[in-house]
Amino acid sequence: MSYNHSTVVGLFTVALVGVTLALPIPASGQRCPRAFAAKAVNPTARPKVVVISGTNRADSNTLKISHQVRESFESQGADAVLLDIATVPLATYRGDRYFNTPKSFQKNFDAKISEADAIVIVFPEYHGTYPGMLGTFLNYVQASFQGKPIGMVGLSAGILGGQKGAENLGTTFRHRKADVIGEAQVNI
């Protein structure tokens, strides 16, 4: 996908283990080019980036890398926030709540994702895919991912890193009409 320089604030990069994640960030309040509305852009606004730590495992490498990703975006001038799915109480995930999520979930997760100009998911690869808890979390998010650029950082001890998990996660986000940025995938 090509980006029009008038609608992209910058190309943010995060160096991880000798590999670089490159994520084009649209101007604050805008979406990726296919979903851009014709409205004035504030070129001085700091882009909002949400980094999601995609596992509920305590003291995980995923969370450690997520902090590094957030800090890297902040050091480049973005307003970055980390959402850790491990902080969601398990009682939140009940079948009767799919379209009636608790107010605390809406405030802590949905609102931040809605306000984001771009999202980076950091996740471990389990058995060739992303964690079940990440999938459940995404099912509960009511915020729209439509037109948002999505970057992915997959962690795995396997020879392909988190590539298979990224492929599966990319399919999930494309189904939700997000702009999955192929160049914004790092497999560690």
Side-chain angles (χ1 to χ4, degrees):
M1 172 179 298
S2 62
Y3 286 84
N4 179 326
H5 293 291
S6 66
T7 57
V8 174
V9 171
L11 185 65
F12 286 72
T13 60
V14 181
L16 299 167
V17 195
V19 182
T20 301
L21 168 77
L23 183 66
I25 308 290
S28 186
Q30 296 290 311
R31 295 290 180 255
C32 283
R34 5 176 215 255
F36 275 133
K39 65 180 186 178
V41 175
N42 179 358
T44 61
R46 289 174 49 151
K48 296 176 183 173
V49 178
V50 167
V51 178
I52 299 175
S53 178
T55 184
N56 62 337
R57 184 175 286 179
D59 196 37
S60 67
N61 288 329
T62 300
L63 183 58
K64 293 171 188 169
I65 296 290
S66 297
H67 281 291
Q68 290 177 0
V69 170
R70 181 192 54 78
E71 290 166 5
S72 183
F73 278 111
E74 283 185 343
S75 73
Q76 296 175 72
D79 182 10
V81 63
L82 174 63
L83 302 182
D84 181 3
I85 71 169
T87 63
V88 180
L90 286 177
T92 301
Y93 301 121
R94 293 192 344 225
D96 62 335
R97 289 189 168 166
Y98 270 112
F99 297 104
N100 188 22
T101 55
K103 298 283 186 220
S104 61
F105 187 93
Q106 292 172 17
K107 177 184 172 190
N108 294 323
F109 298 98
D110 274 336
K112 291 174 182 164
I113 290 170
S114 289
E115 295 169 359
D117 296 308
I119 299 169
V120 176
I121 312 289
V122 183
F123 65 95
E125 183 178 283
Y126 295 147
H127 307 290
T129 192
Y130 56 90
M133 287 306 293
L134 176 56
T136 302
F137 171 81
L138 293 173
N139 286 340
Y140 276 79
V141 171
Q142 299 300 307
S144 174
F145 290 100
Q146 184 169 350
K148 290 186 191 274
I150 304 290
M152 292 181 270
V153 178
L155 288 73
S156 174
I159 193 166
L160 297 176
Q163 181 179 350
K164 292 295 184 187
E167 289 172 4
N168 291 320
L169 190 56
T171 298
T172 298
F173 277 109
R174 280 188 283 284
H175 179 74
R176 293 190 70 174
K177 308 220 182 326
D179 281 325
V180 179
I181 311 301
E183 299 81 26
Q185 293 181 16
V186 174
N187 300 307
I188 300 173

